Amino acid sequence: MSDELTQLRSILAEARDLQAAFAVLDWDEQTYMPPRGGEARGDQKATLSRIAHQRFTSPRVGELLSLLESRDDLGELDRALVAVTRRDWDREVKVPDALVEAMARQASRSYRAWIQARDANDYRIFEPEFAATLALEREWTQAVGYAEHPYDAFLAGAEPGMSTRRLTELFGQLRRGLVPMVHAIAERQDRVDTAFLKGQFDLGRQWELCMQVARVVGFDFDRGRQDRSVHPFTTSFSRDDVRITTRLDPEDVTAGLFASIHEAGHGLYEQGIPAELGRSPLGEGASGGMHESQSRLWENLVGRSRPFWTFFLPRLQALFPQFQGTGVEAMYRAVNRSVPSFVRMHADEVTYNLHIMLRVDLELRLITGKLATADLRDAWNERFAADFGITPPDDLHGVLQDIHWTSGLGVFPSYTLGNVIAAQLMAAARREIPDLDRHIERGELGSLLHWLRAHVHRFGRSRTPSEILVAATGRDLDAEPYLAYIAAKFGEIYGLG
Ligand code: ZN
């Protein structure tokens, strides 16, 4: 390894360690920190993120990148390291340290206000802090710059290769495919019975179920843990210490279960990134959308499939005997019930993307100043009524439901991209593992995990989402497999044409 590479790697490793320390503080804040600890935690996170930013954007990194870019003797991985670091460095160097620090401190403040606002079920408590967050986000988009739309600044970071224009086109294509299905299904609501899912479910047993399902999909508890939080999430301090969380609902046993499969899907990606990519900008997922493809693939394409319930129903019945009279088919249909509902996280696969489009459209108006935070609740409810035909009864079921706006904008597109990518990857995996459903029925999920490791996880961020998709599926991002999957699955469940 050349001297310049050694120097670059050592600076990047330090910056990475600081980011990981930040992540530990953040994980603790959302899981075990006592309620009054928030203000000091905000200071600590602000300090750490400023120092990490200073370390990463030091002029020496720029010099080393220039020196390394002029060389032609670098291996593939080192070239990727230089290219990815260059992309990040060029963006981050434009952001003043003080802004980075202010954003981290504000995120903690907004998080505390969001928790209080949720307790009071009142958006107005969160609104002033969200306004402060939004002002900093605007400053940030101006600092880093963008091609066409301020929103491009977010996408450039989270979704390499994606633009607001391309995203809007994709949303249009999905809407044209999904909205007629939503309407057709609305007329056939009697086809799916979910009444038997209602009840009271012991939280201790629910926890056991959530631990079981994470183990079943292959989450390695020697290199990770699961805990509870207000909003389920995954974070990683290294590939050998990956944290997932879930949220249990005493009246809905499927909520925690699917949150656990979802987060375990993220966790598997993190645990599958090779050690050699660790402590560098390559040691994470290729994009937000690619990360979300892993969680949504396990949650929906596996967790909401017939073969999975053939295998998993006896396990559910062992913990909750009230399901002993329930058959696989009834369970499969119930967990796939499609109906307009208020909460994104529990939305079915047909309506889910409409929740995302609503948020992204509001974000586009917020970042350009066309919508003020003071008018956000009304704008949300109005748009929700237009898209879903129902009006949220309160803020918890509306504008306050997601944690994302406590730390800023630009995260939601990844969910829809994740749905699309997940279907694309699963279609390719099915071609290469012809008896995949038999494996899933037997609870042998290793063949699918192995395929994802080989085609997605092992590259970390050393390849772009587009490169990964083309190599794994033969095509760049493509909504067709997703729309075909939804049409086939829900067409059968609801007996559509
Ligand atoms: Zn997720």
Side-chain angles (χ1 to χ4, degrees), residues 262-263 266 292 295 415:
H262 179 102
E263 300 304 334
H266 283 301
E292 210 53 41
S295 55
Y415 289 89

Side-chain angles (χ1 to χ4, degrees), residues 123-141:
Y123 169 70
R124 286 171 301 180
I125 296 172
F126 176 57
E127 191 273 328
E129 297 302 338
F130 184 41
T133 294
L134 182 62
L136 292 171
E137 292 283 277
R138 284 214 190 94
E139 208 179 318
W140 183 86
T141 58

Side-chain angles (χ1 to χ4, degrees), residues 232-234 262-263 266 291-292 295-296 299 344 352 415:
F233 68 96
T234 299
H262 179 102
E263 300 304 334
H266 283 301
H291 228 301
E292 210 53 41
S295 55
R296 303 286 292 168
E299 177 192 356
R344 169 192 64 84
Y352 188 95
Y415 289 89

Side-chain angles (χ1 to χ4, degrees), residues 27 32 219 221 223-227 241-245:
W27 170 83
Y32 293 107
F219 186 79
F221 280 94
R223 300 196 288 127
R225 5 180 332 123
Q226 178 166 237
D227 294 271
D241 189 353
V242 177
R243 309 294 177 98
I244 61 175
T245 71

Side-chain angles (χ1 to χ4, degrees), residues 227-451:
D227 294 271
R228 290 169 67 178
S229 62
V230 175
H231 202 107
F233 68 96
T234 299
T235 188
S236 155
F237 315 141
S238 78
R239 69 189 295 272
D240 295 325
D241 189 353
V242 177
R243 309 294 177 98
I244 61 175
T245 71
T246 191
R247 174 167 72 188
L248 304 182
D249 179 341
E251 293 176 359
D252 182 358
V253 69
T254 63
L257 177 68
F258 285 112
S260 278
I261 310 183
H262 179 102
E263 300 304 334
H266 283 301
L268 291 173
Y269 195 176
E270 293 291 328
Q271 290 183 335
I273 292 172
E276 57 180 342
L277 304 184
R279 286 184 92 208
S280 92
L282 302 184
E284 53 187 271
S287 68
M290 194 58 75
H291 228 301
E292 210 53 41
S293 78
Q294 300 305 292
S295 55
R296 303 286 292 168
L297 185 147
W298 288 102
E299 177 192 356
N300 291 328
L301 290 101
V302 176
R304 286 188 166 89
S305 73
R306 239 185 220 111
F308 178 79
W309 281 99
T310 304
F311 160 71
F312 200 70
L313 184 58
R315 292 168 174 248
L316 176 73
Q317 289 166 331
L319 283 164
F320 295 100
Q322 58 261 58
F323 292 118
Q324 245 140 35
T326 303
V328 170
E329 191 59 24
M331 197 56 154
Y332 167 69
R333 296 171 72 86
V335 298
N336 283 296
R337 183 189 184 208
S338 173
V339 65
S341 62
F342 296 113
V343 178
R344 169 192 64 84
M345 213 164 46
H346 307 315
D348 62 86
E349 292 175 89
V350 187
T351 58
Y352 188 95
N353 293 299
L354 301 181
H355 289 266
I356 298 303
M357 293 174 200
L358 173 151
R359 286 156 177 76
V360 174
D361 286 348
L362 292 175
E363 287 192 340
L364 290 171
R365 290 163 62 196
L366 286 165
I367 197 66
T368 49
K370 288 181 186 138
L371 175 64
T373 52
D375 301 322
L376 179 61
R377 170 163 57 188
D378 290 345
W380 178 295
N381 290 345
E382 217 170 274
R383 169 69 188 267
F384 203 90
D387 273 11
F388 294 84
I390 46 177
T391 304
D394 57 27
D395 293 345
L396 276 178
H397 292 84
V399 68
L400 279 182
Q401 65 183 269
D402 287 316
I403 192 174
H404 306 66
W405 284 338
T406 65
S407 54
L409 311 186
V411 177
F412 287 114
S414 304
Y415 289 89
T416 287
L417 293 170
N419 287 331
V420 169
I421 295 171
Q424 227 180 312
L425 290 173
M426 194 65 167
R430 280 190 185 288
R431 286 195 292 274
E432 289 174 36
I433 316 171
D435 48 354
L436 180 57
D437 282 346
R438 301 292 87 72
H439 294 200
I440 297 175
E441 273 172 10
R442 294 195 297 261
E444 292 161 10
L445 298 169
S447 55
L448 181 58
L449 179 57
H450 181 79
W451 191 90

Side-chain angles (χ1 to χ4, degrees), residues 162-234:
M162 186 48 66
S163 65
T164 307
R165 186 184 288 269
R166 196 169 163 217
L167 186 70
T168 309
E169 281 167 17
L170 175 71
F171 281 2
Q173 186 190 358
L174 291 172
R175 271 189 103 83
R176 285 190 296 280
L178 294 171
V179 170
M181 288 203 66
V182 172
H183 291 150
I185 290 171
E187 287 165 15
R188 291 165 172 257
Q189 278 303 313
D190 55 339
R191 297 257 172 161
V192 173
D193 173 29
T194 55
F196 68 89
L197 284 179
K198 292 196 172 60
Q200 288 292 325
F201 302 94
D202 178 72
L203 293 181
R205 282 167 181 259
Q206 283 206 49
W207 178 250
E208 177 49 37
L209 190 74
C210 289
M211 291 299 282
Q212 243 188 65
V213 82
R215 266 187 219 108
V216 158
V217 300
F219 186 79
D220 180 354
F221 280 94
D222 286 335
R223 300 196 288 127
R225 5 180 332 123
Q226 178 166 237
D227 294 271
R228 290 169 67 178
S229 62
V230 175
H231 202 107
F233 68 96
T234 299

